[in-house]
Amino acid sequence: MPMDSPLSARLEPGRALVALQREWITPEQFREILHCGPDDGPQLERLQREGVIPAERLAEVYGSTVLLAPKAAIERLGEAFIKAAASGEALKKGDWIAARYRILDSLNGAFGRVYVCEAKTGEAYRRGDSRVALKTPLRQHLIGPRALDAFHTEAAQWIALGAHPNIVLAYGVEEHLRLPFLVMEYVEGARSLHHEIQAGRMNWLRALWVAVDVARGLAYAERRLGLVHGDLKPSNLLITREGSVKVADFGLSLCPGLGTDAEADTLAGTFGYVAPEMYLEAPCRTSQTDVYAFGATLFEAVTGRRPFPDDQPWLNRVQDPPDPRRTDPSLPDPFADLILACLQRDPEARPAGFQELVPALEAMHLRLQGTPPPPSLEPDAPAQADALANLAGSWLNLERLGKAEDAARTALRLDPAHWKAHCALGRVRMRRGDFPGALACFESAHRSAPEEVIPFVNAALAARDAGDDQRTSSWLERSIRRCHETGRYAELNAISLLLVERLPADEALDLIARILAEDPAAVMTWNNQAILFRWQGRPDEALASAERALIINPIYAKAWSNRATALVELGRFGEALESASRALELDPRVAAAYAAKATALAQLDQLPEARACLQNGLRILPDHPLLIRACQAFS
């Protein structure tokens, strides 16, 4: 291999590329490492000392496959990755998210996308309506663990709020292609307050109705969780067909125990609605900063413009707010005075919070319009036990096992026969390595809902991990029998490897075909079909099946590994080497990828490199039988 610098100078950029691809360092940090010379020392270790990369992540980077490519090649790979991440290719209409939500439409924003989806049969979150909205940030806003944690924090806060007529309901979190998706209520026919203002359809009467509903929603969030929204503005307020208002996008909200002090002391929000104190050196978001944004929103609703010029929003630091009656003389004095009170420069001069504003606004509505403000329709929300089971699943997706267990147990106290809550508790125990305990939970789920397939499937996986061969076979057989009875096979995707390992090939292929006919995005099944084809001596079909899995999920390490093994069997060793290396960049714990890479290196007359590859694998996966056999073969 051509060398453009000493090996020690190239190891660091290679490992930095691995860290970049796992989003553990930013593009700027990656480029900084590229520009360091051999005498600058190991820059990744410097980042670890500075707290940028946790020690365990640094250890994984140094234990992973090192790209022994010239520095110029590493730079090209890095820039290609950064460009792909920044482009954030949107999913298309008809695509599936997490194999459960089919995209009907999408809305693009500066920081994320919202997909309007139809939930798969049996997965509806609303009574009588399977439409939901899935929100995800753009990839470039998720680079680095802090950004991902911030999204997870938002999701946890929003879900924990539960149902309120004036807040968009958040159901749970899904993950797809390493992107998190927040599953939300779809408010059909809704229009944002921003669009209503732009269309000239607002006046003080409608603005007062908006004010009451927004204050009710935020008072609930304040009372229930002490929650600060953080980005209140007209585009985050949805007006329903019935005329009521729902607050959306708790994208910068804070909640005790979930955010951090650093997050609280960050200038965030949207200029024009940011409170004066947020421009200080150490800003702190509070209920009063939301109250300021509320005042700015109402000012815009009654006047059609923001309180201060768009190009000089910081003038609120040195000037008093203008009186909205100059623009709309018909604005009643009590309403104008309340707006101005919310816009006071001194936070202490504003209303203390929304729990104080709600009764004041309701009394104002009665006085100015002669009637109390109308109540909003209750959201078509799940029952409390259902909502808690959904929340438990979301905490699992966020890797917060303690929270997941608490939510599942609370759901079971409300409904001891709630099968989804039993399954959520079982999944918690699976993650903690308590496989017998997990199996007991899944068996309880089955007793509560004997017609459901998911408890059968989960019980088969738990029995396998518990080393109980007999019960694994029993639950597998019962899973298959139930799918035959219902005519639905997609749930078998999770145990498609068990189908391959434990059934005759023809029967396994038949079931795999049924799974894929029902769910063409069942990525695990495509990958496991590749394994079966390889075992049958059909490497061309194995390659096609692995590549189909990679079309669905381009970062599926096991599919890259299966592709590499199929390419080895086809004698395409250069391509196999690239595919195995890609698998190990994504996940250095895939033993088969080390074996495929070592085989490809040996066939390319690089036997020392092949042995080094296997030794590297054994450092990460000590005593792995596949790697031990491969080492013996190349000794």
Side-chain angles (χ1 to χ4, degrees), residues 204-205 207-209 211-212 294 298 302 331-342 351 356-373:
W204 74 263
L205 291 167
L208 182 55
W209 190 352
V212 171
F294 178 69
L298 295 181
V302 298
L331 183 64
D333 290 341
F335 197 13
D337 291 342
L338 182 140
I339 292 171
L340 289 170
C342 293
E356 176 182 313
L357 280 168
V358 168
L361 284 163
E362 289 178 341
M364 186 186 302
H365 192 285
L366 179 60
R367 186 164 67 254
L368 295 178
Q369 300 203 36
T371 62

Side-chain angles (χ1 to χ4, degrees), residues 19 136 141 184 207 280 444:
T136 188
H141 297 302
M184 307 177 296
L280 298 174
S444 295

Side-chain angles (χ1 to χ4, degrees), residues 41-319:
Q43 296 298 306
L44 286 175
E45 291 183 11
R46 176 182 62 79
L47 292 176
Q48 189 268 320
R49 289 194 301 272
E50 294 172 359
V52 176
I53 303 179
E56 64 274 11
R57 286 182 169 171
L58 182 68
E60 189 172 335
V61 168
Y62 272 76
S64 67
T65 302
V66 176
L67 297 176
L68 294 176
K71 189 173 180 180
I74 291 173
E75 186 170 4
R76 283 197 306 273
L77 287 169
E79 292 300 329
F81 177 85
I82 294 166
K83 183 178 179 182
S87 67
E89 290 295 329
L91 296 166
K92 304 182 298 299
K93 182 178 179 180
D95 286 348
W96 288 84
I97 296 174
R100 296 168 64 186
Y101 306 95
R102 187 170 63 86
I103 297 173
L104 304 177
D105 197 6
S106 64
L107 304 169
N108 297 333
F111 297 99
R113 292 190 175 91
V114 175
Y115 295 95
V116 179
C117 298
E118 182 178 27
K120 195 174 182 179
T121 303
E123 296 292 345
Y125 283 95
R126 299 175 62 197
R127 297 189 295 273
D129 188 356
S130 62
R131 289 197 177 188
V132 290
L134 272 67
K135 173 194 171 188
T136 188
L138 299 177
R139 285 189 186 274
Q140 63 263 38
H141 297 302
L142 283 181
I143 294 176
R146 283 180 59 87
L148 189 58
D149 287 347
F151 182 87
H152 284 175
T153 297
E154 170 195 348
Q157 292 164 347
W158 202 341
I159 296 162
L161 271 180
H164 186 274
N166 301 118
I167 294 176
V168 173
L169 181 62
Y171 299 110
V173 175
E174 299 284 351
E175 286 198 3
H176 180 66
L177 302 181
R178 279 194 179 177
L179 279 176
F181 289 81
L182 179 61
V183 185
M184 307 177 296
E185 168 190 10
Y186 172 63
V187 187
E188 189 168 5
R191 309 169 309 279
S192 75
L193 176 60
H194 172 75
H195 289 140
E196 294 295 276
I197 294 169
Q198 294 296 307
R201 289 194 286 264
M202 291 302 298
N203 54 40
W204 74 263
L205 291 167
R206 297 194 71 199
L208 182 55
W209 190 352
V210 168
V212 171
D213 277 2
V214 172
R216 284 170 171 171
L218 292 178
Y220 167 81
E222 198 175 74
R223 182 173 61 252
R224 181 173 172 82
L225 293 177
L227 197 62
V228 175
H229 186 283
D231 195 22
L232 193 63
K233 57 186 176 182
S235 59
N236 282 339
L237 303 177
L238 301 182
I239 301 175
T240 70
R241 285 175 172 173
E242 296 76 25
S244 62
V245 182
K246 288 178 178 283
V247 181
D249 197 0
F250 283 81
L252 296 170
S253 55
L254 295 172
C255 182
L258 287 175
T260 66
D261 292 338
E263 290 166 349
D265 296 337
T266 301
L267 176 57
T270 301
F271 288 118
Y273 311 95
V274 172
E277 64 271 19
M278 291 298 287
Y279 292 98
L280 298 174
E281 185 175 346
C284 183
R285 286 174 284 172
T286 64
S287 291
Q288 279 73 31
T289 60
D290 268 1
V291 168
Y292 181 90
F294 178 69
T297 296
L298 295 181
F299 186 100
E300 186 174 357
V302 298
T303 66
R305 62 181 180 83
R306 295 174 185 143
F308 295 93
D310 289 350
D311 60 345
Q312 295 177 300
W314 46 265
L315 284 176
N316 64 0
R317 285 283 303 129
V318 295
Q319 294 182 9

Side-chain angles (χ1 to χ4, degrees), residues 336-490:
D337 291 342
L338 182 140
I339 292 171
L340 289 170
C342 293
L343 290 172
Q344 289 300 301
R345 280 188 281 167
D346 180 1
E348 297 301 319
R350 299 173 206 148
F354 292 93
Q355 294 179 78
E356 176 182 313
L357 280 168
V358 168
L361 284 163
E362 289 178 341
M364 186 186 302
H365 192 285
L366 179 60
R367 186 164 67 254
L368 295 178
Q369 300 203 36
T371 62
S376 300
L377 294 175
E378 288 293 327
D380 194 6
Q384 190 175 2
D386 293 338
L388 285 164
N390 286 340
L391 180 57
S394 301
W395 286 125
L396 274 162
N397 285 333
L398 300 175
E399 294 296 333
R400 297 186 181 182
L401 301 186
K403 294 278 191 182
E405 182 173 1
D406 290 345
R409 290 191 182 280
T410 305
L412 290 171
R413 282 196 292 272
L414 293 170
D415 181 0
H418 200 289
W419 72 270
K420 287 187 177 180
H422 280 296
C423 281
L425 190 56
R427 288 171 60 200
V428 169
R429 290 180 173 173
M430 287 275 283
R431 300 276 182 91
R432 289 175 170 162
D434 178 11
F435 304 120
L439 181 55
C441 290
F442 298 136
E443 289 173 340
S444 295
H446 167 63
R447 288 192 294 271
S448 298
E451 73 287 351
E452 294 290 342
V453 176
I454 291 174
F456 289 109
V457 168
N458 284 333
L461 292 172
R464 177 202 62 188
D465 290 342
D468 191 330
D469 191 69
Q470 183 176 353
R471 292 169 90 181
T472 302
S473 296
S474 173
W475 284 108
L476 177 62
E477 290 169 7
R478 295 164 78 179
S479 302
I480 295 168
R481 185 164 61 246
R482 184 59 186 153
C483 287
H484 284 317
E485 291 168 356
T486 63
R488 299 200 315 268
Y489 295 88

